[in-house]
Amino acid sequence: WGSGGFCSGKICISEGIEVLGYIYWSAFDNFEWTFGYNMHFGVIEVDRETQKRKVKDSARLLGKIAIENSLEI
């Protein structure tokens, strides 16, 4: 769900490149023109029938990384 970006960021940091931030692509599972609602890459799940939101484990991990300002891969 995005760990590739984290790995790349960590490699950059280890090589002395200053990484100032990370922006995740999408907070919510959303509509994609090619795939409709079949893609689920947001960090918050959306039930299309009830519109109820559910925080995914990936969101919790992003929060943990932000709070601790560190990343263990």
Side-chain angles (χ1 to χ4, degrees), residues 2-59:
S3 60
F6 289 138
C7 290
S8 298
K10 191 161 187 170
I11 291 168
C12 288
I13 292 167
S14 72
E15 294 181 0
I17 299 169
E18 186 177 21
V19 177
L20 301 176
Y22 178 84
I23 299 173
Y24 189 74
W25 177 253
S26 181
F28 297 93
D29 288 343
N30 59 3
F31 180 83
E32 291 293 316
W33 289 106
T34 303
F35 302 107
Y37 288 114
N38 293 325
M39 302 294 289
H40 300 280
F41 52 80
V43 293
I44 300 171
E45 177 183 335
V46 179
D47 182 316
R48 296 294 161 203
E49 291 183 22
T50 65
Q51 295 301 305
K52 186 173 182 174
R53 273 72 165 154
K54 178 182 174 189
V55 176
K56 296 181 183 179
D57 290 341
S58 53

